[in-house]
Amino acid sequence: MTTALVAALRAALGPDRVRDNPTELSLYRHDASHMEGAAVVVCFPTSTAEVQACVRLAVEHDRPFVARGSGTGLAGGAVPPNGAVVIVTTKMNRVLSVDAAVRQAWVEPGVLNLDLSRTVLPAGLHFAPDPSSQQTCSIGGNVANNAGGPHCLAEGVTNAHILALEVVLPDGSVTVLGGEDPEPAGYDLRGVFVGSEGMFGVATKILVRLTPNPPAVSTMLMDFARVEDGANTVSAVIASGIVPAALEMMDQLCLEAVEAYIHAGLPVDAAAALLVEVVGLPHGVAADAEAITRIAGDHGVRTVRVAADDAERALLWKGRKSAFGAIARIKPNYYLHDTVVPRRQLPAVLRQVYEIVARHELLVLNVFHAGDGNLHPLIVFDGREPGILERVHAAGEEIVRASVEAGGVLSGEHGIGLEKRDLMPLMFSAVDLAAQAALRDAFDPAGRANPGKVLPSPATCGDLQRVPEGAWI
Amino acid sequence: MDLSDFAAAVGTDDPVTISGAGSRGGPVAGVRAVVAPSGIERVEPAEMTVSCGAGTPVAELDEALVPFSQAVAIPPSGTVGGALAVGQSGLRRLGYGPVRDVLLQAHYVSAAGDIVKAGGPTVKNVSGFDLCRLLVGSHGTLGFLGDVIVRTRPRARYEQWFRGTVAPDEALARLYRPTSVLWDGTRTWVLLEGDERDVEAQATTLGFDAVAGPPGLPRGGRWSIPPSQWAAVRGEYVVEVGVGIVHHAEPGPPVAVDPAARSLHQRIKANFDPTGRLNPGLDVLDPARR
């Protein structure tokens, strides 16, 4: 049966772009998470028609399929369901058109996030979502996960930057969701497709909104003797009516690790540091920077380092963005979490994170999007230590529970995937989940697009008596 | 907010419609109407969120946010729920983004009479499928909004409308992120916000003069066109440049709907409202025709 499927895929795409030898298949067993699946064949289409052929053949041969970009996802969203056809979009990597006047561009899903911003730089534009993986992650993957990044504080996450999507639906038909025009008729299916983690179909062309580069920028590094002083500064800045372009926090262990790695002169004796960036027109930027410095002063800031030029700004950002490389100096493995809490709860939840991790005799670094309350506890460990993964997972689940109990949510930008699927009932009742399942069922009645992700199986989601007739769950 | 009375009023069986302030077309005629709860529950300035009943007037919400120097990017008039259900953005969309981006969490009453939660209370959230995006612009055909948490934004420290004769595409290119650029075929209006010195400097580079406000808008039709086509519009109109909304004296041309998209719409409606009892007869692909 697999042989016939592979032969049909080879006939449609050509022999080079359909792979099924065990070594290659094993490369596509996982994404950047700690979970694994098993694909039967991996395809590298180069056009919408070829993606359509992959989906149609999966349907014909009754196989699940999963679209995959660069595989940088952290929640297992691109881990292949057993027996799946993997549709890799990396060879669909062209920027198709750029309209600088109205700040829109059509791109293929395999275009890398940073490559898009580099391509439109001469027009004074950029693509605002900037996940830490932006050098390697693809726009298609950003769409699937509704990716975030430091500069999403002021600009919003990926959904706010996607105007239209050409998609292959799970039945193999092709349609456009959203449009170049601002208010296309009907439901906002563009909006629901973004963040649907590959379960509503495969995006083959993406119309993105581009953002003008600001004429003035001020980047500041502020350090504090107590974590709560930094956290309270965050809330006070936002409450004062200023939304900085970015507002990031690093705790002491993170500062130490990064400083040892890049030697940027970071305040390693501080309990926490905030990286704050304001952008816009010169007077507005100066006024905001002054106001933020004053607020930080009210909350016991020790020093404020203002980037004197682009080189120093780049260095400060390098400190923030190389945290994941730096931690390799401490332990060989890490598990990166992603939850959101109300900003006012940041000090309390951070205290809980330290307490939980200490109880499990683990080490945690915190480097996160403080401005929108998006925590990223980074548990570092040595995977060779017996029994340690169980402790890492137990601590992680407690952190997620503590975040939700504090009025937060399961994920701010990594998605649910497999990782948090069974924790969905912490946020949603059976009725709430049935509504999400009803939406999934409308896109994919046969349940072939990346099944088994996001929505918990009935056994784990409690009372299902009110599930609407025909709902997929 | 306790929505049990609202859910009971929506019921589980008979055709039902929802009534806001009637400023955006009103309920479906000849059908039993319900009204969503009203009232502001909580303003959270440090979270930049506000929670309220869907029946709350937009003006009331706006007034409640003034003391905190915040605002919501929901166009004025009518109720919050009505504005979200219709999903049309206001004249400031260029700067503030579309209304679909403001809804963070909603409790709605489903066709089965259940109270269902969509989304989450924080400004950033990717937990599960985005039912909030589905509800905004759904014209009450999938569920009736009961209460909502919406995102606020800082109220501008200073704002001023200006008018001049520089072509609107040039104005858009030369200004840094104007809040609105309007064109009536002859003149360009811009709304600038921020530090007063920056605003004045920007207006001066264009040679624009301060005016009291935007032009009057023709009310015959609201067209949605690719923003690159702003110069092709004819007749009596005001176009939102950089956005693509045209306020025209005439109704817009009919829009063709692709069969795959229509069938997807039908499946969604059937899954959320199998008997078609919510706002019966309303076609979300052509909401003007009832």
Side-chain angles (χ1 to χ4, degrees), chain B residues 147-188:
Chain B
D147 66 33
V148 296
I149 300 178
V150 294
R151 177 198 303 277
T152 66
R153 50 174 297 113
R155 202 171 279 268
R157 265 170 281 176
Y158 178 75
E159 64 169 59
Q160 180 63 51
W161 281 94
F162 297 89
R163 190 178 61 205
T165 50
V166 169
D169 54 338
E170 195 188 330
L172 186 61
R174 283 169 56 186
L175 296 170
Y176 177 69
R177 305 188 81 162
T179 304
S180 189
V181 177
L182 305 177
W183 167 251
D184 70 352
T186 320
R187 292 167 303 176
T188 301

mmCIF file of all heavy atoms in Angstrom, chain B residues 147-188:
data_model
loop_
_atom_site.group_PDB
_atom_site.id
_atom_site.type_symbol
_atom_site.label_atom_id
_atom_site.label_comp_id
_atom_site.label_asym_id
_atom_site.label_seq_id
_atom_site.Cartn_x
_atom_site.Cartn_y
_atom_site.Cartn_z
ATOM 1 N N ASP B 147 -20.408 38.104 26.690
ATOM 2 C CA ASP B 147 -19.448 39.059 27.250
ATOM 3 C C ASP B 147 -18.114 38.904 26.536
ATOM 4 O O ASP B 147 -17.854 37.878 25.913
ATOM 5 C CB ASP B 147 -19.314 38.913 28.771
ATOM 6 C CG ASP B 147 -18.706 37.590 29.204
ATOM 7 O OD1 ASP B 147 -17.849 37.050 28.491
ATOM 8 O OD2 ASP B 147 -19.095 37.090 30.275
ATOM 9 N N VAL B 148 -17.325 39.953 26.634
ATOM 10 C CA VAL B 148 -16.071 39.966 25.875
ATOM 11 C C VAL B 148 -14.949 40.590 26.709
ATOM 12 O O VAL B 148 -15.195 41.373 27.622
ATOM 13 C CB VAL B 148 -16.198 40.782 24.556
ATOM 14 C CG1 VAL B 148 -17.199 40.130 23.621
ATOM 15 C CG2 VAL B 148 -16.580 42.235 24.820
ATOM 16 N N ILE B 149 -13.725 40.198 26.390
ATOM 17 C CA ILE B 149 -12.538 40.924 26.864
ATOM 18 C C ILE B 149 -11.860 41.465 25.618
ATOM 19 O O ILE B 149 -11.551 40.701 24.695
ATOM 20 C CB ILE B 149 -11.570 40.014 27.645
ATOM 21 C CG1 ILE B 149 -12.272 39.417 28.870
ATOM 22 C CG2 ILE B 149 -10.326 40.802 28.074
ATOM 23 C CD1 ILE B 149 -11.407 38.468 29.685
ATOM 24 N N VAL B 150 -11.696 42.773 25.568
ATOM 25 C CA VAL B 150 -11.069 43.380 24.395
ATOM 26 C C VAL B 150 -9.790 44.104 24.789
ATOM 27 O O VAL B 150 -9.609 44.534 25.923
ATOM 28 C CB VAL B 150 -12.019 44.350 23.631
ATOM 29 C CG1 VAL B 150 -13.173 43.595 23.021
ATOM 30 C CG2 VAL B 150 -12.510 45.464 24.526
ATOM 31 N N ARG B 151 -8.920 44.180 23.797
ATOM 32 C CA ARG B 151 -7.625 44.827 23.946
ATOM 33 C C ARG B 151 -7.817 46.345 23.893
ATOM 34 O O ARG B 151 -8.561 46.861 23.075
ATOM 35 C CB ARG B 151 -6.779 44.365 22.760
ATOM 36 C CG ARG B 151 -5.410 44.941 22.615
ATOM 37 C CD ARG B 151 -4.896 44.719 21.190
ATOM 38 N NE ARG B 151 -4.878 43.313 20.806
ATOM 39 C CZ ARG B 151 -3.902 42.479 21.115
ATOM 40 N NH1 ARG B 151 -2.873 42.894 21.804
ATOM 41 N NH2 ARG B 151 -3.952 41.231 20.723
ATOM 42 N N THR B 152 -7.107 47.063 24.766
ATOM 43 C CA THR B 152 -7.149 48.527 24.673
ATOM 44 C C THR B 152 -5.840 48.999 24.044
ATOM 45 O O THR B 152 -4.929 48.212 23.828
ATOM 46 C CB THR B 152 -7.292 49.172 26.065
ATOM 47 O OG1 THR B 152 -6.119 48.904 26.827
ATOM 48 C CG2 THR B 152 -8.513 48.645 26.798
ATOM 49 N N ARG B 153 -5.789 50.281 23.739
ATOM 50 C CA ARG B 153 -4.554 50.864 23.220
ATOM 51 C C ARG B 153 -4.367 52.228 23.897
ATOM 52 O O ARG B 153 -5.325 52.796 24.418
ATOM 53 C CB ARG B 153 -4.614 51.004 21.701
ATOM 54 C CG ARG B 153 -5.883 51.677 21.188
ATOM 55 C CD ARG B 153 -5.837 51.928 19.704
ATOM 56 N NE ARG B 153 -4.776 52.837 19.385
ATOM 57 C CZ ARG B 153 -3.679 52.505 18.673
ATOM 58 N NH1 ARG B 153 -3.547 51.307 18.178
ATOM 59 N NH2 ARG B 153 -2.738 53.399 18.443
ATOM 60 N N PRO B 154 -3.148 52.746 23.920
ATOM 61 C CA PRO B 154 -2.963 54.060 24.535
ATOM 62 C C PRO B 154 -3.733 55.118 23.742
ATOM 63 O O PRO B 154 -3.750 55.075 22.510
ATOM 64 C CB PRO B 154 -1.453 54.310 24.409
ATOM 65 C CG PRO B 154 -0.832 53.007 24.065
ATOM 66 C CD PRO B 154 -1.886 52.199 23.387
ATOM 67 N N ARG B 155 -4.388 56.024 24.441
ATOM 68 C CA ARG B 155 -5.021 57.151 23.767
ATOM 69 C C ARG B 155 -3.916 58.098 23.298
ATOM 70 O O ARG B 155 -2.945 58.303 24.031
ATOM 71 C CB ARG B 155 -5.947 57.856 24.761
ATOM 72 C CG ARG B 155 -7.037 58.674 24.158
ATOM 73 C CD ARG B 155 -8.011 59.140 25.231
ATOM 74 N NE ARG B 155 -8.970 58.109 25.590
ATOM 75 C CZ ARG B 155 -10.177 57.972 25.022
ATOM 76 N NH1 ARG B 155 -10.567 58.804 24.095
ATOM 77 N NH2 ARG B 155 -10.984 57.003 25.391
ATOM 78 N N ALA B 156 -4.053 58.599 22.114
ATOM 79 C CA ALA B 156 -2.982 59.450 21.582
ATOM 80 C C ALA B 156 -2.778 60.663 22.477
ATOM 81 O O ALA B 156 -3.740 61.265 22.944
ATOM 82 C CB ALA B 156 -3.351 59.904 20.172
ATOM 83 N N ARG B 157 -1.490 61.010 22.698
ATOM 84 C CA ARG B 157 -1.207 62.215 23.484
ATOM 85 C C ARG B 157 -1.689 63.456 22.747
ATOM 86 O O ARG B 157 -2.104 64.434 23.331
ATOM 87 C CB ARG B 157 0.301 62.317 23.743
ATOM 88 C CG ARG B 157 0.707 61.739 25.073
ATOM 89 C CD ARG B 157 2.208 61.636 25.179
ATOM 90 N NE ARG B 157 2.689 60.458 24.459
ATOM 91 C CZ ARG B 157 3.966 60.160 24.314
ATOM 92 N NH1 ARG B 157 4.889 60.937 24.805
ATOM 93 N NH2 ARG B 157 4.329 59.071 23.668
ATOM 94 N N TYR B 158 -1.581 63.383 21.426
ATOM 95 C CA TYR B 158 -1.994 64.530 20.608
ATOM 96 C C TYR B 158 -2.438 63.983 19.270
ATOM 97 O O TYR B 158 -1.824 63.056 18.735
ATOM 98 C CB TYR B 158 -0.804 65.483 20.421
ATOM 99 C CG TYR B 158 -1.113 66.676 19.549
ATOM 100 C CD1 TYR B 158 -1.877 67.733 20.034
ATOM 101 C CD2 TYR B 158 -0.626 66.749 18.243
ATOM 102 C CE1 TYR B 158 -2.160 68.838 19.227
ATOM 103 C CE2 TYR B 158 -0.905 67.851 17.437
ATOM 104 C CZ TYR B 158 -1.670 68.889 17.939
ATOM 105 O OH TYR B 158 -1.949 69.974 17.146
ATOM 106 N N GLU B 159 -3.533 64.508 18.737
ATOM 107 C CA GLU B 159 -3.945 64.090 17.395
ATOM 108 C C GLU B 159 -4.503 65.278 16.651
ATOM 109 O O GLU B 159 -5.056 66.204 17.253
ATOM 110 C CB GLU B 159 -4.976 62.960 17.459
ATOM 111 C CG GLU B 159 -6.295 63.336 18.119
ATOM 112 C CD GLU B 159 -7.365 62.270 17.914
ATOM 113 O OE1 GLU B 159 -7.119 61.132 18.343
ATOM 114 O OE2 GLU B 159 -8.423 62.585 17.324
ATOM 115 N N GLN B 160 -4.329 65.264 15.354
ATOM 116 C CA GLN B 160 -4.826 66.374 14.540
ATOM 117 C C GLN B 160 -5.073 65.895 13.112
ATOM 118 O O GLN B 160 -4.256 65.178 12.547
ATOM 119 C CB GLN B 160 -3.785 67.519 14.551
ATOM 120 C CG GLN B 160 -4.194 68.733 13.747
ATOM 121 C CD GLN B 160 -5.451 69.413 14.288
ATOM 122 O OE1 GLN B 160 -5.540 69.711 15.475
ATOM 123 N NE2 GLN B 160 -6.439 69.623 13.420
ATOM 124 N N TRP B 161 -6.226 66.297 12.577
ATOM 125 C CA TRP B 161 -6.500 66.071 11.151
ATOM 126 C C TRP B 161 -5.885 67.205 10.336
ATOM 127 O O TRP B 161 -5.907 68.361 10.762
ATOM 128 C CB TRP B 161 -8.008 66.044 10.895
ATOM 129 C CG TRP B 161 -8.668 64.745 11.262
ATOM 130 C CD1 TRP B 161 -9.278 64.457 12.457
ATOM 131 C CD2 TRP B 161 -8.796 63.584 10.442
ATOM 132 N NE1 TRP B 161 -9.769 63.168 12.429
ATOM 133 C CE2 TRP B 161 -9.494 62.609 11.199
ATOM 134 C CE3 TRP B 161 -8.384 63.259 9.141
ATOM 135 C CZ2 TRP B 161 -9.785 61.342 10.702
ATOM 136 C CZ3 TRP B 161 -8.677 62.006 8.648
ATOM 137 C CH2 TRP B 161 -9.375 61.051 9.422
ATOM 138 N N PHE B 162 -5.363 66.861 9.174
ATOM 139 C CA PHE B 162 -4.810 67.858 8.257
ATOM 140 C C PHE B 162 -5.376 67.597 6.867
ATOM 141 O O PHE B 162 -5.790 66.475 6.553
ATOM 142 C CB PHE B 162 -3.282 67.755 8.203
ATOM 143 C CG PHE B 162 -2.600 68.040 9.511
ATOM 144 C CD1 PHE B 162 -2.357 67.012 10.423
ATOM 145 C CD2 PHE B 162 -2.213 69.331 9.836
ATOM 146 C CE1 PHE B 162 -1.728 67.274 11.632
ATOM 147 C CE2 PHE B 162 -1.570 69.604 11.056
ATOM 148 C CZ PHE B 162 -1.334 68.577 11.951
ATOM 149 N N ARG B 163 -5.314 68.642 6.018
ATOM 150 C CA ARG B 163 -5.796 68.478 4.641
ATOM 151 C C ARG B 163 -4.851 69.192 3.684
ATOM 152 O O ARG B 163 -4.275 70.236 4.034
ATOM 153 C CB ARG B 163 -7.204 69.063 4.495
ATOM 154 C CG ARG B 163 -7.860 68.724 3.156
ATOM 155 C CD ARG B 163 -9.262 69.277 3.071
ATOM 156 N NE ARG B 163 -9.252 70.741 3.193
ATOM 157 C CZ ARG B 163 -10.289 71.454 3.627
ATOM 158 N NH1 ARG B 163 -11.412 70.868 3.990
ATOM 159 N NH2 ARG B 163 -10.204 72.766 3.706
ATOM 160 N N GLY B 164 -4.678 68.618 2.514
ATOM 161 C CA GLY B 164 -3.818 69.254 1.518
ATOM 162 C C GLY B 164 -4.011 68.616 0.158
ATOM 163 O O GLY B 164 -4.936 67.820 -0.045
ATOM 164 N N THR B 165 -3.122 68.967 -0.770
ATOM 165 C CA THR B 165 -3.308 68.503 -2.146
ATOM 166 C C THR B 165 -2.224 67.535 -2.610
ATOM 167 O O THR B 165 -2.238 67.089 -3.749
ATOM 168 C CB THR B 165 -3.343 69.707 -3.113
ATOM 169 O OG1 THR B 165 -2.206 70.529 -2.842
ATOM 170 C CG2 THR B 165 -4.600 70.532 -2.911
ATOM 171 N N VAL B 166 -1.282 67.210 -1.741
ATOM 172 C CA VAL B 166 -0.308 66.175 -2.095
ATOM 173 C C VAL B 166 -1.081 64.866 -2.307
ATOM 174 O O VAL B 166 -1.976 64.536 -1.524
ATOM 175 C CB VAL B 166 0.742 66.016 -0.963
ATOM 176 C CG1 VAL B 166 1.592 64.777 -1.176
ATOM 177 C CG2 VAL B 166 1.607 67.259 -0.864
ATOM 178 N N ALA B 167 -0.748 64.161 -3.379
ATOM 179 C CA ALA B 167 -1.474 62.926 -3.681
ATOM 180 C C ALA B 167 -1.373 61.952 -2.510
ATOM 181 O O ALA B 167 -0.344 61.903 -1.827
ATOM 182 C CB ALA B 167 -0.910 62.287 -4.948
ATOM 183 N N PRO B 168 -2.424 61.168 -2.270
ATOM 184 C CA PRO B 168 -2.461 60.347 -1.056
ATOM 185 C C PRO B 168 -1.388 59.263 -1.019
ATOM 186 O O PRO B 168 -0.903 58.921 0.054
ATOM 187 C CB PRO B 168 -3.862 59.727 -1.086
ATOM 188 C CG PRO B 168 -4.305 59.796 -2.503
ATOM 189 C CD PRO B 168 -3.660 61.013 -3.072
ATOM 190 N N ASP B 169 -0.996 58.725 -2.192
ATOM 191 C CA ASP B 169 0.048 57.689 -2.160
ATOM 192 C C ASP B 169 1.381 58.298 -1.741
ATOM 193 O O ASP B 169 2.162 57.692 -1.019
ATOM 194 C CB ASP B 169 0.161 56.976 -3.510
ATOM 195 C CG ASP B 169 0.363 57.931 -4.670
ATOM 196 O OD1 ASP B 169 0.011 59.126 -4.546
ATOM 197 O OD2 ASP B 169 0.871 57.483 -5.716
ATOM 198 N N GLU B 170 1.593 59.556 -2.172
ATOM 199 C CA GLU B 170 2.815 60.235 -1.776
ATOM 200 C C GLU B 170 2.786 60.567 -0.280
ATOM 201 O O GLU B 170 3.776 60.408 0.433
ATOM 202 C CB GLU B 170 2.996 61.510 -2.610
ATOM 203 C CG GLU B 170 4.403 62.065 -2.504
ATOM 204 C CD GLU B 170 4.535 63.437 -3.164
ATOM 205 O OE1 GLU B 170 3.792 63.706 -4.139
ATOM 206 O OE2 GLU B 170 5.376 64.224 -2.688
ATOM 207 N N ALA B 171 1.624 61.001 0.197
ATOM 208 C CA ALA B 171 1.476 61.290 1.631
ATOM 209 C C ALA B 171 1.756 60.031 2.445
ATOM 210 O O ALA B 171 2.492 60.055 3.440
ATOM 211 C CB ALA B 171 0.072 61.822 1.926
ATOM 212 N N LEU B 172 1.207 58.915 1.989
ATOM 213 C CA LEU B 172 1.390 57.649 2.698
ATOM 214 C C LEU B 172 2.872 57.267 2.731
ATOM 215 O O LEU B 172 3.385 56.788 3.740
ATOM 216 C CB LEU B 172 0.565 56.557 2.005
ATOM 217 C CG LEU B 172 0.505 55.188 2.665
ATOM 218 C CD1 LEU B 172 -0.124 55.279 4.048
ATOM 219 C CD2 LEU B 172 -0.311 54.224 1.801
ATOM 220 N N ALA B 173 3.554 57.506 1.618
ATOM 221 C CA ALA B 173 4.968 57.133 1.545
ATOM 222 C C ALA B 173 5.843 58.042 2.406
ATOM 223 O O ALA B 173 6.824 57.598 2.984
ATOM 224 C CB ALA B 173 5.442 57.174 0.092
ATOM 225 N N ARG B 174 5.464 59.324 2.500
ATOM 226 C CA ARG B 174 6.337 60.272 3.189
ATOM 227 C C ARG B 174 6.081 60.366 4.688
ATOM 228 O O ARG B 174 6.957 60.761 5.446
ATOM 229 C CB ARG B 174 6.217 61.654 2.547
ATOM 230 C CG ARG B 174 7.003 61.707 1.220
ATOM 231 C CD ARG B 174 6.712 62.951 0.416
ATOM 232 N NE ARG B 174 6.947 64.192 1.154
ATOM 233 C CZ ARG B 174 6.649 65.397 0.679
ATOM 234 N NH1 ARG B 174 6.131 65.512 -0.532
ATOM 235 N NH2 ARG B 174 6.872 66.468 1.395
ATOM 236 N N LEU B 175 4.881 60.033 5.122
ATOM 237 C CA LEU B 175 4.569 60.126 6.549
ATOM 238 C C LEU B 175 4.965 58.831 7.247
ATOM 239 O O LEU B 175 4.894 57.755 6.656
ATOM 240 C CB LEU B 175 3.062 60.348 6.748
ATOM 241 C CG LEU B 175 2.501 61.654 6.198
ATOM 242 C CD1 LEU B 175 0.970 61.616 6.255
ATOM 243 C CD2 LEU B 175 3.031 62.842 6.997
ATOM 244 N N TYR B 176 5.365 58.936 8.523
ATOM 245 C CA TYR B 176 5.626 57.720 9.281
ATOM 246 C C TYR B 176 4.347 57.282 9.984
ATOM 247 O O TYR B 176 3.877 57.937 10.888
ATOM 248 C CB TYR B 176 6.746 57.929 10.301
ATOM 249 C CG TYR B 176 6.986 56.704 11.150
ATOM 250 C CD1 TYR B 176 7.537 55.555 10.590
ATOM 251 C CD2 TYR B 176 6.632 56.676 12.502
ATOM 252 C CE1 TYR B 176 7.737 54.415 11.353
ATOM 253 C CE2 TYR B 176 6.835 55.536 13.267
ATOM 254 C CZ TYR B 176 7.385 54.410 12.683
ATOM 255 O OH TYR B 176 7.574 53.272 13.432
ATOM 256 N N ARG B 177 3.763 56.226 9.517
ATOM 257 C CA ARG B 177 2.612 55.573 10.121
ATOM 258 C C ARG B 177 1.475 56.528 10.517
ATOM 259 O O ARG B 177 1.114 56.639 11.696
ATOM 260 C CB ARG B 177 3.061 54.735 11.312
ATOM 261 C CG ARG B 177 4.141 53.753 10.900
ATOM 262 C CD ARG B 177 4.497 52.786 11.968
ATOM 263 N NE ARG B 177 3.527 51.698 11.996
ATOM 264 C CZ ARG B 177 3.758 50.531 12.599
ATOM 265 N NH1 ARG B 177 4.878 50.322 13.241
ATOM 266 N NH2 ARG B 177 2.862 49.595 12.555
ATOM 267 N N PRO B 178 0.893 57.200 9.510
ATOM 268 C CA PRO B 178 -0.283 58.022 9.816
ATOM 269 C C PRO B 178 -1.426 57.133 10.301
ATOM 270 O O PRO B 178 -1.471 55.950 9.995
ATOM 271 C CB PRO B 178 -0.621 58.649 8.463
ATOM 272 C CG PRO B 178 -0.025 57.725 7.441
ATOM 273 C CD PRO B 178 1.201 57.150 8.082
ATOM 274 N N THR B 179 -2.336 57.713 11.069
ATOM 275 C CA THR B 179 -3.466 56.950 11.593
ATOM 276 C C THR B 179 -4.547 56.784 10.535
ATOM 277 O O THR B 179 -5.295 55.808 10.540
ATOM 278 C CB THR B 179 -4.027 57.664 12.840
ATOM 279 O OG1 THR B 179 -2.951 57.806 13.767
ATOM 280 C CG2 THR B 179 -5.144 56.882 13.489
ATOM 281 N N SER B 180 -4.631 57.751 9.613
ATOM 282 C CA SER B 180 -5.625 57.659 8.552
ATOM 283 C C SER B 180 -5.181 58.532 7.375
ATOM 284 O O SER B 180 -4.597 59.598 7.599
ATOM 285 C CB SER B 180 -6.998 58.137 9.074
ATOM 286 O OG SER B 180 -8.010 57.866 8.138
ATOM 287 N N VAL B 181 -5.408 58.047 6.162
ATOM 288 C CA VAL B 181 -5.182 58.848 4.956
ATOM 289 C C VAL B 181 -6.436 58.698 4.090
ATOM 290 O O VAL B 181 -6.792 57.581 3.719
ATOM 291 C CB VAL B 181 -3.941 58.376 4.162
ATOM 292 C CG1 VAL B 181 -3.786 59.187 2.868
ATOM 293 C CG2 VAL B 181 -2.664 58.489 5.000
ATOM 294 N N LEU B 182 -7.107 59.805 3.816
ATOM 295 C CA LEU B 182 -8.356 59.764 3.045
ATOM 296 C C LEU B 182 -8.198 60.589 1.775
ATOM 297 O O LEU B 182 -7.484 61.589 1.749
ATOM 298 C CB LEU B 182 -9.507 60.328 3.892
ATOM 299 C CG LEU B 182 -9.736 59.687 5.262
ATOM 300 C CD1 LEU B 182 -10.858 60.410 6.005
ATOM 301 C CD2 LEU B 182 -10.074 58.207 5.128
ATOM 302 N N TRP B 183 -8.931 60.201 0.724
ATOM 303 C CA TRP B 183 -8.823 60.850 -0.580
ATOM 304 C C TRP B 183 -10.205 60.895 -1.193
ATOM 305 O O TRP B 183 -10.899 59.871 -1.221
ATOM 306 C CB TRP B 183 -7.860 60.041 -1.446
ATOM 307 C CG TRP B 183 -7.822 60.326 -2.914
ATOM 308 C CD1 TRP B 183 -8.300 59.517 -3.906
ATOM 309 C CD2 TRP B 183 -7.239 61.455 -3.567
ATOM 310 N NE1 TRP B 183 -8.046 60.070 -5.126
ATOM 311 C CE2 TRP B 183 -7.395 61.264 -4.951
ATOM 312 C CE3 TRP B 183 -6.595 62.616 -3.105
ATOM 313 C CZ2 TRP B 183 -6.941 62.190 -5.892
ATOM 314 C CZ3 TRP B 183 -6.149 63.534 -4.038
ATOM 315 C CH2 TRP B 183 -6.314 63.318 -5.417
ATOM 316 N N ASP B 184 -10.628 62.094 -1.639
ATOM 317 C CA ASP B 184 -11.964 62.190 -2.244
ATOM 318 C C ASP B 184 -11.881 62.420 -3.751
ATOM 319 O O ASP B 184 -12.855 62.827 -4.379
ATOM 320 C CB ASP B 184 -12.794 63.292 -1.561
ATOM 321 C CG ASP B 184 -12.282 64.695 -1.891
ATOM 322 O OD1 ASP B 184 -11.200 64.814 -2.526
ATOM 323 O OD2 ASP B 184 -12.953 65.673 -1.516
ATOM 324 N N GLY B 185 -10.709 62.184 -4.329
ATOM 325 C CA GLY B 185 -10.537 62.399 -5.761
ATOM 326 C C GLY B 185 -9.860 63.724 -6.061
ATOM 327 O O GLY B 185 -9.358 63.940 -7.162
ATOM 328 N N THR B 186 -9.860 64.626 -5.082
ATOM 329 C CA THR B 186 -9.251 65.939 -5.274
ATOM 330 C C THR B 186 -8.296 66.295 -4.144
ATOM 331 O O THR B 186 -7.224 66.830 -4.373
ATOM 332 C CB THR B 186 -10.349 67.049 -5.295
ATOM 333 O OG1 THR B 186 -11.463 66.547 -6.015
ATOM 334 C CG2 THR B 186 -9.829 68.311 -5.938
ATOM 335 N N ARG B 187 -8.746 66.000 -2.928
ATOM 336 C CA ARG B 187 -7.958 66.417 -1.762
ATOM 337 C C ARG B 187 -7.620 65.221 -0.874
ATOM 338 O O ARG B 187 -8.337 64.221 -0.872
ATOM 339 C CB ARG B 187 -8.758 67.444 -0.945
ATOM 340 C CG ARG B 187 -8.931 68.770 -1.665
ATOM 341 C CD ARG B 187 -9.980 69.630 -0.987
ATOM 342 N NE ARG B 187 -11.275 68.943 -0.911
ATOM 343 C CZ ARG B 187 -12.352 69.437 -0.306
ATOM 344 N NH1 ARG B 187 -12.287 70.604 0.298
ATOM 345 N NH2 ARG B 187 -13.489 68.764 -0.285
ATOM 346 N N THR B 188 -6.542 65.396 -0.108
ATOM 347 C CA THR B 188 -6.077 64.352 0.807
ATOM 348 C C THR B 188 -6.227 64.834 2.251
ATOM 349 O O THR B 188 -5.881 65.970 2.561
ATOM 350 C CB THR B 188 -4.593 64.036 0.532
ATOM 351 O OG1 THR B 188 -4.464 63.603 -0.821
ATOM 352 C CG2 THR B 188 -4.072 62.957 1.465
#
